[in-house]
Amino acid sequence: MIILGIESSCDETAAALVEDGRRVLSSVVASQVEEHKLYGGVVPEIASRRHSEAISGVTGEALAQAGLSLGQVDAIAVTYAPGLIGALLVGVNFAKGLALAGDLPLVPVHHLRGHIAANYLSHPGLEPPFLCLVVSGGHSHIVQVEDYTQLQVLARTRDDAAGEAFDKAARAMGIPYPGGVELDKIAETGDPLAYQLPRPKVEGSPLDFSFSGLKTAALNLLHNAAQRGEAVCVPDLCASYRRAVVGCLMASFRQAARETGAKRLAAAGGVSANRLLRRELEAFSQEAGLPLFLPELSLCGDNAAMIAAQGYYELLAGHQAGMELNAYAQRDIQ
Ligand code: KG4
Ligand code: ZN
């Protein structure tokens, strides 16, 4: 079964063709990041406009690269939540048009379910159940993936997401948006023990995350140094900050794995590309004797192949929508 996936939840317009939820036939991603960089973050209005301009061409390109026509596609899968509402609506409406024109099933896909499904593309043998650390620019969850379409959130962030915490600290250090990527590179050259930073815990919910206090601590450190005319060693601060963020993620993930008796571990989302996080997850997997599944780097960030992959399993489970399908800025993964 061939699924055409469409993704437009944030600042990437993407289309992809995937066979049986596992084999990528083509995957095209048009990034708007250079334009948003000018403003230090994603400007929702610009994102919507660029999606409208790009979506038709990107989809045509994905079909051309796969050597397919719409008539050879079995279903259209589209990200309908969560994300920027105007951006999501572009993808949802375009997907509706395609479904109507091709008389094809329309399959709504939750963006974070899509991120998790990137692992099915990178690891053909991976099947649920597994425990997944889902870390993106907007979300930080620990998810029990019981089945392809049955998921349970065990932990979430109470404030900033891990990616957001990386991006905001990076911005304060003068690193352009999306700073998480560059901060990770710079951190490789710094001393992670140079600066002491807090590792906040959420009282009463030991698995939940909270990154805003850590982010504020880094911002205060930078402001205080500037006021005193002292220099901050950026590579050392990047390394110390990354160690603290990854430390918080790993502490909860380790505890969740222990408590749930997890048999397989996985990670997903843009932050799963983080070098230290990947090393720490590998170390935990070795130590606990549990297999670890990570998406290949090209599938960690936003793409439509992951949406088509999850769309396949949603369709098998009978999850289809009609022309009434709407987009939602927020919606639970469950
Ligand atoms: O999943 P994603 O592409 O988009 C959302 O669904 O939000 O995640 C984007 C986030 C950004 O915050 C970006 O800075 C972060 O992922 N990110 C990283 C790395 N690569 C991307 N954060 C830390 N280290 C990285 N290597
Ligand atoms: Zn994403």
Side-chain angles (χ1 to χ4, degrees):
M1 191 185 288
I2 294 173
I3 310 251
L4 168 58
I6 308 269
E7 155 65 39
S8 70
S9 65
C10 190
D11 57 351
E12 257 101 28
T13 318
L17 288 134
V18 171
E19 191 174 17
D20 296 335
R22 297 280 176 169
R23 203 165 76 85
V24 182
L25 305 177
S26 67
S27 176
V28 178
V29 180
S31 176
Q32 309 170 358
V33 76
E34 287 308 317
E35 192 166 0
H36 296 296
K37 225 175 222 174
L38 301 172
Y39 307 95
V42 177
V43 183
E45 174 64 18
I46 294 178
S48 312
R49 284 168 189 262
R50 296 296 167 261
H51 285 308
S52 306
E53 289 160 9
I55 199 152
S56 178
V58 164
T59 304
E61 183 63 27
L63 283 164
Q65 282 186 17
L68 296 170
S69 67
L70 190 60
Q72 292 165 292
V73 169
D74 296 296
I76 311 288
V78 62
T79 307
Y80 77 108
L84 301 170
I85 191 67
L88 286 164
L89 279 167
V90 174
V92 165
N93 285 316
F94 187 75
K96 280 190 201 177
L98 286 181
L100 201 60
D103 193 20
L104 295 168
L106 177 65
V107 185
V109 175
H110 189 286
H111 183 74
L112 297 180
R113 288 189 178 205
H115 272 302
I116 294 170
N119 282 295
Y120 304 139
L121 299 170
S122 295
H123 306 285
L126 173 64
E127 285 178 8
F130 56 91
L131 187 71
C132 192
L133 178 66
V134 184
V135 272
S136 71
H139 297 83
S140 301
H141 286 346
I142 297 175
V143 178
Q144 178 95 56
V145 183
E146 287 158 3
D147 206 341
Y148 292 103
T149 58
Q150 222 179 310
L151 303 93
Q152 203 192 329
V153 176
L154 303 182
R156 59 180 77 235
T157 181
R158 294 303 181 97
D159 37 60
D160 292 353
E164 198 180 349
F166 274 127
D167 294 344
K168 286 181 178 167
R171 186 178 178 175
M173 287 185 247
I175 303 167
Y177 174 84
V181 184
E182 195 60 27
L183 185 150
D184 184 26
K185 264 188 229 154
I186 298 171
E188 291 290 300
T189 65
D191 173 6
L193 303 176
Y195 294 100
Q196 291 297 314
L197 292 165
R199 301 219 185 155
K201 300 285 286 171
V202 180
E203 217 173 295
S205 305
L207 292 181
D208 280 354
F209 307 110
S210 169
F211 292 111
S212 88
L214 171 56
K215 175 196 68 188
T216 306
L219 301 190
N220 286 344
L221 190 149
L222 286 160
H223 289 151
N224 292 341
Q227 274 175 350
R228 290 199 209 103
E230 290 168 9
V232 167
C233 176
V234 169
D236 285 356
L237 183 55
C238 286
S240 303
Y241 188 76
R242 182 179 68 166
R243 179 168 174 265
V245 173
V246 170
C248 293
L249 292 172
M250 286 306 302
S252 292
F253 192 58
R254 281 169 177 268
Q255 189 177 340
R258 268 196 310 273
E259 284 179 6
T260 58
K263 298 279 184 291
R264 301 183 189 93
L265 308 172
V271 181
S272 67
N274 187 269
R275 293 167 175 83
L276 179 65
L277 180 61
R278 290 174 90 95
R279 291 198 290 269
E280 294 276 321
L281 285 165
E282 291 286 358
F284 175 44
S285 144
Q286 295 280 322
E287 184 190 308
L290 299 173
L292 170 70
F293 301 88
L294 298 173
E296 59 208 86
L297 290 176
S298 63
L299 293 174
C300 288
D302 289 346
N303 65 84
M306 67 187 198
I307 301 303
Q310 182 62 24
Y312 172 73
Y313 293 104
E314 299 288 349
L315 186 60
L316 291 187
H319 300 164
Q320 286 189 41
M323 288 300 126
E324 76 291 345
L325 178 65
N326 205 351
Y328 301 90
Q330 290 184 20
R331 176 141 294 207
D332 227 48
I333 193 171
Q334 274 149 276

